[in-house]
């Protein structure tokens, strides 16, 4: 199994005698190329601490680098669009639309203050009381996730076929609370944080997410160097329908906050930087300025175009892709469970169970 995303080359072998598994993991390693004997994938070349090494596959090589790194590795290995391979003088092994069809859902943050003492705040998490509460009773702030406590899937178009918006709710004013508590440094402009409150502000955050973007981007090679990052052109919001759908998710949140149950809790909206009104035009401008990735890119090694139904790469042997890049369409929700189920299914196929 080769994972370029985590910069680790992982080789797994199974002893057939006693069925005990042996796993060898190399850290500080970056997979750089797959070598072929004819059209069969036989070796993975990787760089560990500046030294090039290779490992040979007896049966199969499985790529799990994700929708950005997997297409990069395939193209460096000679599997990709013909024009892209020629541009970088890479000998073609199989010409496939690798890197095309990138779909990357976007989301927005909508923050509200509250007068109720219901949020996860820095003082609550770091207090001795919270520690003792969790230690003896296994409840309190330490027992709660900082991720979504509530989620809803909405079809804002009213067709009833599938949801087009997912709305998560956090019991925190997301950036200052989660970032400081988790020790995360967000690479965002200062202007975005200027209007936010400190880490002990009581509040909550709604996150409307565009589930099925029509906008389609691509991943290309920047260069052939092992540390050259790929060129990622997501083409965010190039489809006007995506902007319209995300706006409908924002309006749904506003309606939700105005309900009887929520109106007594939400005391004040936290405006986005520069926001002065509530017109569609102003929200569309805010979407174009502040919407950001939900972290679920897919489609760059799509099933039916790059891999078959068993996730084997077309035109070659001994090579599979098992990550989100194989999804031909976006899914209605978080990708983690689907990826785990997909990996389990492929594992059973490999073992012929």
């Amino acid at each position: 199994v080769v994972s370029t995303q985590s910069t680790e080359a992982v080789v797994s072998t199974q002893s057939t005698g006693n069925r005990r598994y042996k796993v060898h993991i190399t850290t500080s390693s970056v997979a750089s190329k797959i070598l072929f004997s004819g059209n069969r994938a036989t070796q993975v070349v990787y760089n560990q601490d500046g030294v090039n090494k290779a490992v040979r596959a007896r049966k199969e090589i499985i790529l799990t680098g994700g929708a950005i790194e997997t297409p990069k590795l395939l193209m460096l290995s000679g599997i990709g669009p013909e024009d892209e391979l020629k541009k970088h003088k890479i000998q073609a092994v199989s010409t496939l639309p690798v890197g095309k069809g990138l779909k990357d859902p976007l989301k927005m943050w909508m923050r509200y203050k509250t007068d109720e003492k219901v949020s996860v705040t820095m003082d609550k998490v770091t207090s001795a009381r919270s520690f003792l509460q969790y230690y003896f009773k296994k409840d309190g702030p330490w027992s709660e996730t900082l991720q979504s406590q509530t989620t809803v899937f909405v079809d804002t178009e009213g067709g009833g076929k599938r949801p087009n918006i997912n709305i998560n709710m956090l019991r925190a004013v997301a950036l200052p609370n989660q970032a400081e508590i988790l020790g995360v440094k967000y690479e965002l402009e200062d202007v975005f944080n200027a209007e936010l409150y400190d880490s002990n502000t009581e509040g909550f955050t709604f996150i409307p997410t565009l589930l099925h973007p029509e906008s389609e981007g691509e991943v290309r090679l920047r260069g052939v160097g092992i540390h050259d990052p790929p060129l990622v052109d997501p083409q965010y919001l190039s489809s006007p329908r995506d902007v319209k759908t995300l706006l409908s998710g924002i309006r749904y949140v506003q309606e939700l906050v105005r309900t009887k149950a929520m109106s007594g809790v939400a005391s004040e909206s936290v405006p986005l930087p520069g926001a002065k009104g509530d017109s569609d035009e102003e929200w569309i401008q805010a979407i174009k300025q502040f919407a950001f990735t939900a972290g679920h890119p897919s489609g760059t090694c799509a099933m039916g175009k790059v891999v078959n139904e068993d996730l084997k790469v077309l035109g070659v042997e001994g090579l599979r892709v098992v990550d989100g890049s194989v999804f031909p369409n976006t899914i209605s929700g978080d990708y983690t469970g689907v990826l785990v189920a997909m990996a389990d299914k492929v594992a059973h196929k490999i073992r012929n169970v």
Side-chain angles (χ1 to χ4, degrees):
V1 180
V2 181
S3 175
T4 59
Q5 197 171 39
S6 60
T7 65
E8 293 182 350
V10 182
V11 184
S12 174
T13 61
Q14 177 183 342
S15 173
T16 56
N18 57 12
R19 295 190 64 81
R20 292 177 62 186
Y21 292 88
K22 299 177 181 178
V23 179
H24 306 273
I25 300 176
T26 69
T27 60
S28 302
S29 302
V30 181
S32 59
K33 191 175 183 180
I34 300 163
L35 300 182
F36 292 84
S37 178
N39 72 334
R40 183 170 189 84
T42 56
Q43 296 184 67
V44 176
V45 178
Y46 64 98
N47 185 281
Q48 183 179 32
D49 294 324
V51 179
N52 288 324
K53 301 180 180 181
V55 60
R56 181 176 296 275
R58 292 193 183 97
K59 294 184 178 181
E60 291 188 4
I61 296 170
I62 302 173
L63 305 186
T64 62
I68 306 301
E69 291 292 337
T70 287
K72 173 192 171 183
L73 182 57
L74 284 174
M75 287 186 279
L76 289 175
S77 305
I79 300 175
E82 184 176 6
D83 58 344
E84 189 72 7
L85 299 180
K86 285 184 177 180
K87 177 182 176 181
H88 295 278
K89 299 179 181 180
I90 299 173
Q91 183 176 354
V93 176
S94 181
T95 54
L96 298 171
V98 172
K100 306 294 184 180
L102 173 64
K103 296 289 187 73
D104 193 9
L106 291 176
K107 62 184 179 181
M108 288 284 287
W109 272 341
M110 300 176 67
R111 302 175 179 86
Y112 293 87
K113 287 184 66 179
T114 179
D115 295 328
E116 305 291 332
K117 302 296 183 182
V118 295
S119 302
V120 178
T121 65
M122 178 66 84
D123 281 354
K124 292 178 185 177
V125 171
T126 57
S127 71
R129 177 181 179 182
S130 293
F131 169 75
L132 294 173
Q133 191 175 6
Y134 180 76
Y135 186 83
F136 290 107
K137 297 183 178 180
K138 296 297 184 289
D139 62 8
W142 280 34
S143 67
E144 301 180 26
T145 174
L146 286 180
Q147 297 301 313
S148 304
Q149 280 80 22
T150 306
T151 188
V152 60
F153 294 90
V154 184
D155 174 17
T156 61
E157 296 178 348
K161 293 183 179 180
R162 64 176 182 178
N164 59 359
I165 288 289
N166 172 214
I167 300 172
N168 292 312
M169 180 182 177
L170 311 180
R171 283 174 50 205
V173 182
L175 264 179
N177 285 320
Q178 290 203 64
E180 291 189 36
I181 292 169
L182 296 177
V184 175
K185 181 181 179 182
Y186 279 86
E187 300 294 336
L188 296 176
E189 297 180 12
D190 289 339
V191 66
F192 191 77
N193 296 306
E195 308 267 346
L196 298 181
Y197 300 89
D198 64 42
S199 300
N200 295 308
T201 299
E202 295 286 340
F204 49 90
T205 303
F206 288 103
I207 307 176
T209 302
L210 175 69
L211 290 175
H212 304 291
E214 288 188 349
S215 303
E216 190 172 290
E218 64 177 333
V219 176
R220 303 190 305 274
L221 291 177
R222 185 185 302 269
V224 296
I226 185 172
H227 295 296
D228 290 338
L231 286 170
V232 182
D233 181 9
Q235 287 289 308
Y236 288 135
L237 305 175
S238 56
S239 169
R241 185 175 182 179
D242 290 349
V243 179
K244 181 181 178 182
T245 302
L246 199 46
L247 175 61
S248 70
I250 290 171
R251 295 303 188 196
Y252 189 94
V253 170
Q254 291 177 326
E255 292 178 12
L256 186 63
V257 172
R258 286 194 292 265
T259 62
K260 183 177 180 180
M262 288 296 300
S263 60
V265 178
S267 61
E268 179 185 340
S269 173
V270 180
L272 291 171
K276 297 180 180 179
D278 190 48
S279 67
D280 285 355
E281 291 73 19
E282 287 174 300
W283 273 112
I284 288 172
Q285 183 59 38
I287 289 170
K288 292 179 178 180
Q289 185 175 358
F290 295 115
F292 61 103
T293 177
H296 299 303
S298 63
T300 51
C301 299
M303 193 182 304
K305 296 180 180 180
V306 177
V307 299
N308 66 11
E309 68 276 10
D310 293 324
L311 307 188
K312 295 180 179 180
V313 177
L314 301 173
V316 299
E317 297 180 1
L319 183 62
R320 297 190 203 232
V321 175
V322 186
D323 58 39
S325 69
V326 304
F327 296 156
N329 300 298
T330 52
I331 64 174
S332 298
D334 194 284
Y335 282 46
T336 306
V338 180
L339 288 169
V340 171
M342 181 176 69
D344 181 71
K345 182 72 173 179
V346 173
H348 280 75
K349 283 182 175 291
I350 292 173
R351 296 173 61 195
N352 294 316
V353 175

